Amino acid sequence: MRRMPRSIVAALCAVLVCGGTASATMQPPPNAVEAARASEVEGNAGTAIARLEPYVSAHPEDPTAARMLGDLYFRIGDVAHAQTVWLAETRRHPDDSVTHERLGSLYAARGRLNDAIGEFDKSLPLRGGLMQLIELRRRTNGLDAFVELAQSGLRLNPDDPWHLTLYATVLEATHHAGEALQYYTRVVDLAPLASRCEERISRAVDLFDLKRDAEAITDLQQCLRNEPNDYAGLTLYAWTFLRSGDYAQARSLLDRALAGQPNGVEALIDMGYLEDATGNPEAAALCYRKAIAGDPLRPEGYINLGYDYATRHSYAQAEATLLAGLVAAPGNGRLHFLLGSTYRAQGKVAQAHTQYESALSADDAEVVNAARDAITAMSKSAG
């Protein structure tokens, strides 16, 4: 099971909003945050907390710092304290969509599905929160009602970009990308001519789902002609070059994205993949550590970093990384599979089998097939 760039499903989880902006995420981070982030990336989360905690106490109106303090507690395994910090931040700033999304992910990982749904509701219009909300509605048998709610909102507001985008995203997430396209196109048509980047990117994701790559790329190119430094546009366009193996073009776009958002999780994950692909494992590992620091509840950084450690036979580090990822995303089949493979390489047969069994419930057919093959191979070797 190889490392991967972000899939198209995850391509815009934290960078694109549906019909609005997440103002709490757009403030430039203070030096205290950057110093704490640097300490964490170096592996000194305790030092980072010691640096940041006094600042958060003295500056309760800084959501970036408070959010990161919760991130740091999560990274050292103090989930309860992370939850406390994030809850306090959302009470101070009820419109802090990003922190609501953090809490939603935390609750979902702990099996508190109703609480998670409530937090993802509050995270809207963030696309990542919406996608997770749709998945939880599916798991709790509430998806039909949610779809009907989106339909009703659109009937009452047929020319409102938010309701159009919401319904289009619901259709896309429920595997009706062809039906979604007309609504994404309507949103593009309604947007001001001078600035249609966000709308074109949403449509491009749907077009990629439909395997209409040329049209999707045209939307991305038009977006970047109008807004050359748009982070979401740059990262998604770079993803297309990663897929085709054109690493020079991908690097140029990712460099531009990171110049604008140095801690952008999506760009860091994809830059890490690029560094791995071009033979720079240390640079790749740094990118993955930065991505984990940027959002410790996203699984991709743990997956790729754990994979890299395992391929270098640094099994203790691989185990620690993959286990940390499973705290953040306990249902992630790729993490379970990679941890199983790490155990298997060390002869920990029973532990490997347990992880492969857990991977069988993944949504990703590639993961399920690989786990099934691994279990079969282990059974034959044992016999």
Side-chain angles (χ1 to χ4, degrees):
M1 184 64 56
R2 63 193 184 281
R3 72 179 75 80
M4 295 183 70
R6 294 167 303 122
S7 69
I8 189 62
V9 174
L12 299 177
C13 274
V15 297
L16 188 64
V17 297
C18 301
T21 59
S23 60
T25 71
M26 304 306 291
Q27 300 176 10
N31 290 336
V33 171
E34 286 308 294
R37 195 185 306 277
S39 293
E40 181 186 2
V41 169
E42 292 168 1
N44 300 316
T47 300
I49 290 171
R51 286 179 168 177
L52 194 57
E53 211 160 26
Y55 178 89
V56 172
S57 296
H59 300 83
E61 294 308 307
D62 187 333
T64 303
R67 188 182 310 122
M68 181 161 187
L69 182 60
D71 292 354
L72 289 165
Y73 277 117
F74 186 88
R75 287 291 291 126
I76 65 170
D78 191 344
V79 177
H81 210 150
Q83 177 183 321
T84 298
V85 172
W86 289 333
L87 272 173
E89 161 52 22
T90 57
R91 287 169 182 154
R92 287 191 300 268
H93 301 100
D95 61 344
D96 183 352
S97 300
V98 176
T99 306
H100 281 299
E101 187 179 343
R102 289 276 207 286
L103 278 170
S105 297
L106 178 67
Y107 291 147
R110 308 273 83 75
R112 295 172 55 181
L113 302 189
N114 289 332
D115 290 334
I117 287 170
E119 291 300 326
F120 288 136
D121 271 328
K122 295 171 186 174
S123 79
L124 300 179
L126 288 183
R127 182 186 176 93
L130 175 57
M131 299 298 279
Q132 294 187 78
L133 176 61
I134 291 168
E135 177 56 28
L136 285 186
R137 291 291 188 185
R138 190 200 318 273
R139 288 169 58 186
T140 56
N141 299 315
L143 184 57
D144 289 345
F146 187 71
V147 173
E148 175 57 35
L149 184 65
Q151 287 175 325
S152 298
L154 183 57
R155 282 195 295 268
L156 293 171
N157 304 276
D159 294 320
D160 178 72
W162 159 240
H163 286 92
L164 284 160
T165 305
L166 172 63
Y167 187 52
T169 307
V170 169
L171 288 170
E172 181 191 335
T174 54
H175 309 296
H176 295 89
E179 296 174 46
L181 185 58
Q182 61 180 307
Y183 298 104
Y184 284 127
T185 298
R186 177 64 176 150
V187 176
V188 171
D189 292 341
L190 287 169
L193 284 173
S195 177
R196 291 181 170 177
C197 214
E198 180 182 312
E199 296 80 7
R200 289 186 184 277
I201 294 168
S202 292
R203 185 169 67 178
V205 172
D206 197 57
L207 287 165
F208 280 125
D209 280 348
L210 293 168
K211 312 300 181 187
R212 293 166 62 172
D213 290 13
E215 294 168 82
I217 289 170
T218 297
D219 266 340
L220 294 176
Q221 291 171 334
Q222 183 61 54
C223 158
L224 292 171
R225 273 194 291 271
N226 294 336
E227 299 180 41
N229 297 316
D230 183 87
Y231 174 81
L234 289 166
T235 53
L236 187 54
Y237 196 26
W239 174 85
T240 69
F241 290 109
L242 284 180
R243 281 199 311 170
S244 66
D246 188 341
Y247 297 134
Q249 288 279 14
R251 184 182 295 277
S252 174
L253 292 162
L254 291 171
D255 280 340
R256 285 165 57 190
L258 289 168
Q261 291 196 31
N263 302 308
V265 175
E266 300 76 21
L268 286 166
I269 291 165
D270 284 354
M271 184 64 89
Y273 176 86
L274 188 157
E275 297 289 10
D276 268 325
T278 54
N280 299 298
E282 294 304 320
L286 179 60
C287 287
Y288 298 141
R289 290 197 299 271
K290 286 182 177 179
I292 292 168
D295 185 347
L297 287 157
R298 292 276 295 273
E300 300 98 325
Y302 299 103
I303 290 168
N304 286 5
L305 184 58
Y307 176 95
D308 282 1
Y309 282 139
T311 56
R312 297 202 296 270
H313 308 295
S314 299
Y315 295 124
Q317 290 174 294
E319 284 184 26
T321 300
L322 296 167
L323 285 166
L326 285 168
V327 173
N332 187 282
R334 194 170 291 268
L335 284 166
H336 281 294
F337 179 87
L338 290 173
L339 184 57
S341 298
T342 301
Y343 286 144
R344 184 182 177 188
Q346 300 172 84
K348 300 177 181 179
V349 177
Q351 290 162 286
H353 193 277
T354 298
Q355 294 302 320
Y356 287 141
E357 288 284 349
S358 295
L360 291 175
S361 61
D363 293 331
D364 187 333
E366 180 188 19
V367 173
V368 172
N369 291 334
R372 189 178 292 118
D373 290 345
I375 291 170
T376 300
M378 288 174 65
S379 298
K380 288 179 179 178
S381 63

